[in-house]
Amino acid sequence: MGDDALRTPAEMAVHDRYVAVNGDHPMTPEDDAYVRRHFVAATPEALDAMLAGLLPLPSYVLSDGTPMVPAAHAELAAIAGGPDRLHDWFVAFWEGDAETGEQKWVHYLNGQYVALREVTPVRIKQMLERVAEAAAAVDLLHHDPHDGVGRGMLGEAIDGVIAVTGLDSLLLPMTAYDRLRFDQPTLRETWVDRPRAEFLTPIAPVWPLTTERLVLRPFEEGDAEAFVGAWASEEWTSLLLTRPQNRAEVVDMVRRRMQPGDGMFVGLVVVTHDGTVVGDSMLHLQGTGLSEGEIGWTVLPDQGGRGYATEAARAVLRLGFEHYGLRRIVANLDTRNDRSAALCERLGMRREVDKVGDFWSKGEWTSSYEYALLRDEWRATQL
């Protein structure tokens, strides 16, 4: 179909309109492969409807001249009650703003919403809302990367929240060809990939963290031996999520914790200044815009009662609030874990949730507490 002589008059007419809208840019083999994965060839009936202004122009034209459209290209017309009713049905989604509705209709007919996985008025409006939200969030975060509102807005815009679909789900990857025809980076590059890399990708601090008596650092291969005895104990592991582990399992656990990962889980060995391992601490980055963290800790059986867990936890709270810019840090624990509950309260955390029989662990339904502390509350205690 690359030869004009092999094309139908309708294909040639649609191609001309497509070029008038998008310009004449080359499609690479990689572009063709992408389009074939996400789109289908237009039918002769669809081509006639395009020329009549009833259905959108192709999203892409392959290097061999094949016009390509979304698989659901004609679906909206069927929902509207027929192609002749599609316009009125479409613009009704911008009730009270006829001018914007007509602008979006023209863009729709020109096949310009190629960034969307699903091209409907609802998805178009969601995309525009999320892009505007992301732009406002990026502006806030350029002034303060730890801005809680900015982090929340950007997290919602990119990843979505309950009842709000984010751009990461709305948008297709797009291609190098799209950068040419739109003369700019793709929507995904501009409003998902770049903001995520700049503001929602954790950067580790300079290790170690040092307190009056302790050093907190990433795991090292030789740390496993210090934990073998504790992890073999039924009593010590009884209120943890994991069953007792043998030596090989502990060594493997330490090996896995030494791997780089995505930076969302920060696992730290806690040692005294003379190098004695006394336990471990963790911080799991989570929540909308990575604005929340979950803190946790263990203390080896022979090191309890010396305040090590409290001292280490205070260092992790500071790490979360100051370095990672978290807005809120929580701790979840078994309600039978009286010592950890007391530790949370020493840290100034507030018991927010008392759940009864909510968590399945080791063959039984257990109850749990959730403690929390806001950054502003923590700051007030540092004065």
Side-chain angles (χ1 to χ4, degrees):
M1 290 176 61
D3 187 339
D4 287 349
L6 301 179
R7 298 186 196 172
T8 67
E11 288 171 342
M12 295 179 65
V14 166
H15 179 269
D16 290 344
R17 290 194 185 182
Y18 177 87
V19 171
V21 170
N22 296 283
D24 192 5
H25 305 289
M27 287 280 286
T28 67
E30 291 78 15
D31 295 331
D32 280 349
Y34 164 84
V35 174
R36 287 192 175 97
R37 285 196 302 273
H38 295 284
F39 299 85
V40 299
T43 64
E45 295 76 17
L47 295 174
D48 291 339
M50 293 178 202
L51 294 174
L54 298 176
L55 287 180
L57 290 174
S59 302
Y60 297 87
V61 173
L62 296 178
S63 58
D64 67 3
T66 304
M68 303 291 283
V69 297
H73 185 242
E75 189 173 298
L76 292 190
I79 294 171
D84 56 327
R85 297 183 179 181
L86 180 56
H87 168 271
D88 291 348
W89 176 86
F90 185 99
V91 300
F93 284 85
W94 284 269
E95 183 179 11
D97 190 359
E99 182 178 356
T100 298
E102 292 297 335
Q103 289 175 349
K104 303 314 172 190
W105 169 252
V106 171
H107 291 159
Y108 170 72
L109 274 190
N110 284 336
Q112 297 296 281
Y113 291 114
V114 295
L116 285 169
R117 295 182 184 276
E118 180 186 6
V119 184
T120 69
V122 168
R123 294 306 194 198
I124 292 168
K125 293 185 74 173
Q126 289 174 340
M127 177 187 70
L128 296 172
E129 290 167 359
R130 299 289 80 74
V131 166
E133 184 176 34
V138 166
D139 186 57
L140 287 173
L141 294 171
H142 276 146
H143 288 87
D144 177 7
H146 293 171
D147 186 285
V149 173
R151 292 270 284 270
M153 290 172 64
L154 188 60
E156 179 177 72
I158 292 178
D159 295 312
V161 294
I162 294 175
V164 176
T165 306
L167 291 170
D168 195 32
S169 295
L170 290 171
L171 299 180
L172 287 165
M174 302 181 74
T175 70
Y177 169 82
D178 291 308
R179 299 187 198 102
L180 293 176
R181 67 162 146 180
F182 295 122
D183 194 28
Q184 60 185 355
T186 67
L187 278 177
R188 174 170 284 279
E189 289 168 337
T190 302
W191 299 117
V192 176
D193 299 342
R194 290 180 182 176
R196 190 193 297 284
E198 185 172 359
F199 300 112
L200 301 183
T201 300
I203 298 174
V206 176
W207 302 114
L209 306 181
T210 303
T211 69
E212 181 180 354
R213 298 180 296 165
L214 303 172
V215 174
L216 288 75
R217 57 165 174 76
F219 277 81
E220 299 173 357
E221 187 174 353
D223 293 327
E225 191 61 35
F227 290 93
V228 168
W231 276 104
S233 166
E234 289 276 0
E235 180 181 3
W236 190 79
T237 59
S238 62
L239 299 181
L240 301 178
L241 298 179
T242 308
R243 61 170 177 77
Q245 299 188 72
N246 61 33
R247 180 183 299 275
E249 290 170 321
V250 174
V251 170
D252 189 65
M253 176 186 69
V254 169
R255 178 192 62 79
R256 286 184 279 109
R257 291 193 180 185
M258 289 170 58
Q259 295 175 346
D262 59 8
M264 306 295 183
F265 181 85
V266 183
L268 302 172
V269 174
V270 181
V271 303
T272 61
H273 286 188
D274 66 6
T276 302
V277 176
V278 299
D280 71 329
S281 292
M282 75 90 179
L283 180 66
H284 183 202
L285 309 181
Q286 57 192 19
T288 302
L290 291 186
S291 60
E292 184 173 296
E294 180 178 355
I295 191 174
W297 49 78
T298 67
V299 178
L300 297 181
D302 60 347
Q303 299 294 338
R306 305 179 191 183
Y308 288 150
T310 303
E311 188 171 333
R314 285 184 174 137
V316 175
L317 286 178
R318 181 176 296 278
L319 174 71
F321 289 130
E322 290 190 345
H323 177 78
Y324 289 109
L326 302 179
R327 185 187 62 86
R328 185 171 183 266
I329 295 179
V330 301
N332 289 286
L333 50 137
D334 193 301
T335 58
R336 296 168 294 180
N337 196 338
D338 296 331
R339 297 182 72 173
S340 283
L343 193 160
C344 287
E345 289 165 14
R346 285 196 298 276
L347 295 173
M349 303 183 84
R350 161 184 64 258
R351 185 187 297 176
E352 291 188 339
V353 182
D354 183 350
K355 300 177 184 178
V356 178
D358 70 299
F359 192 81
W360 180 258
S361 179
K362 300 175 182 175
E364 63 178 327
W365 287 105
T366 62
S367 300
S368 57
Y369 293 142
E370 180 171 287
Y371 284 82
L373 183 65
L374 295 174
R375 180 170 58 194
D376 289 346
E377 296 170 330
W378 175 81
R379 281 176 175 167
T381 68
Q382 306 305 300
L383 300 178

